[in-house]
Amino acid sequence: AQSVTQLDSQVPVFEEAPVELRCNYSSSVSVYLFWYVQYPNQGLQLLLKYLSGSTLVESINGFEAEFNKSQTSFHLRKPSVHISDTAEYFCAVSAPSGYSTLTFGKGTMLLVSP
Amino acid sequence: EAGVTQFPSHSVIEKGQTVTLRCDPISGHDNLYWYRRVMGKEIKFLLHFVKESKQDESGMPNNRFLAERTGGTYSTLKVQPAELEDSGVYFCASSLLGQVSSEQYFGPGTRLTVT
């Protein structure tokens, strides 16, 4: 069985400040790791994913996440946030199989203010 | 290319009534998933179709929930009779078949409120 913990339900931050959204997971097998983002009134969109290889993965809009196997973490970071980054962020894991059912954390609401 | 669409966007029904949610996946996506988010909790898997067949329905809460996928295209999720604890946002997602950890594309969700 797998589980994902996102300890922070809300993270308020000022525009242009750095941010880190924390994600820890538990699994008895190796996993794939994902961050999804949900902007207001929209569906979930894949932000970035780790399947294998380099433990540091990046998105096109400046977010990055690092897979840390020893700490079973996949924290999401951005050095300078924008107002438009205000959204809910979900960390998820799946087993490395052909049928990748996702197990999600509870989500973290990132609130960026001017 | 159209994304995953879901209908209705919102539904408010009374306890004991029936509601049917619809999901249209991206054309060509044989994998179709249903997930649910109850307020304040995590998004949880309900079931997975491969084409018209149920691959995994281990997340379905009970036999009041019935999912179908006619002809391997769109899918419906019927709740009959609805209970208060069924309230939440129901997400549908689709992905290509045959690719390891193929990206799942999510719809905007249907917000179901049972009063």
Side-chain angles (χ1 to χ4, degrees):
Chain A
Q2 301 159 342
S3 66
V4 177
T5 301
Q6 293 182 250
L7 287 174
D8 304 308
S9 59
Q10 279 194 18
V11 173
V13 64
F14 289 110
E15 193 174 20
E16 297 183 4
V19 70
E20 177 179 83
L21 306 184
R22 296 178 294 169
C23 172
N24 288 87
Y25 69 92
S26 173
S27 176
S28 57
V29 299
S30 60
V31 295
Y32 292 155
L33 294 150
F34 307 83
W35 276 99
Y36 279 82
V37 58
Q38 185 179 23
Y39 298 102
N41 301 315
Q42 295 185 28
L44 280 75
Q45 302 172 30
L46 181 64
L47 188 61
L48 45 76
K49 63 183 177 183
Y50 170 79
L51 304 182
S52 65
S54 172
T55 57
L56 184 66
V57 290
E58 298 177 350
S59 72
I60 58 173
N61 58 352
F63 283 94
E64 64 178 31
E66 186 159 21
F67 169 53
N68 187 319
K69 187 174 182 179
S70 63
Q71 297 185 4
T72 60
S73 67
F74 191 55
H75 301 331
L76 182 69
R77 302 183 182 94
K78 188 170 186 180
S80 176
V81 294
H82 302 131
I83 297 286
S84 59
D85 292 324
T86 294
E88 192 159 20
Y89 293 79
F90 296 91
C91 183
V93 301
S94 74
S97 68
Y99 298 116
S100 52
T101 300
L102 295 166
T103 300
F104 286 90
K106 289 187 177 182
T108 298
M109 187 68 204
L110 176 63
L111 299 167
V112 183
S113 53
Chain B
E1 178 182 302
V4 177
T5 57
Q6 292 186 246
F7 182 83
S9 57
H10 295 84
S11 179
V12 180
I13 62 172
E14 292 183 353
K15 176 181 172 181
Q17 289 186 321
T18 298
V19 64
T20 299
L21 313 181
R22 173 169 171 145
C23 168
D24 286 81
I26 293 173
S27 177
H29 282 194
D30 288 328
N31 284 317
L32 189 149
Y33 305 82
W34 283 98
Y35 293 86
R36 177 176 73 172
R37 188 185 192 193
V38 172
M39 187 183 298
K41 302 211 170 178
E42 54 271 277
I43 300 169
K44 286 200 170 179
F45 165 77
L46 295 178
L47 88 158
H48 169 211
F49 283 99
V50 177
K51 299 183 181 179
E52 68 276 6
S53 300
K54 292 177 186 174
Q55 179 69 29
D56 181 355
E57 52 184 331
S58 62
M60 294 287 263
N62 50 60
N63 59 10
R64 295 185 293 103
F65 289 76
L66 176 64
E68 296 180 326
R69 190 177 183 193
T70 307
T73 56
Y74 70 91
S75 174
T76 58
L77 181 64
K78 180 189 287 188
V79 185
Q80 179 182 29
E83 297 290 344
L84 298 179
E85 63 264 26
D86 301 332
S87 296
V89 180
Y90 289 77
F91 292 101
C92 175
S94 70
S95 69
L96 290 168
L97 186 65
Q99 295 185 11
V100 175
S101 193
S102 173
E103 176 180 347
Q104 292 186 28
Y105 294 83
F106 281 78
T110 293
R111 182 175 296 278
L112 174 64
T113 303
V114 183
T115 62

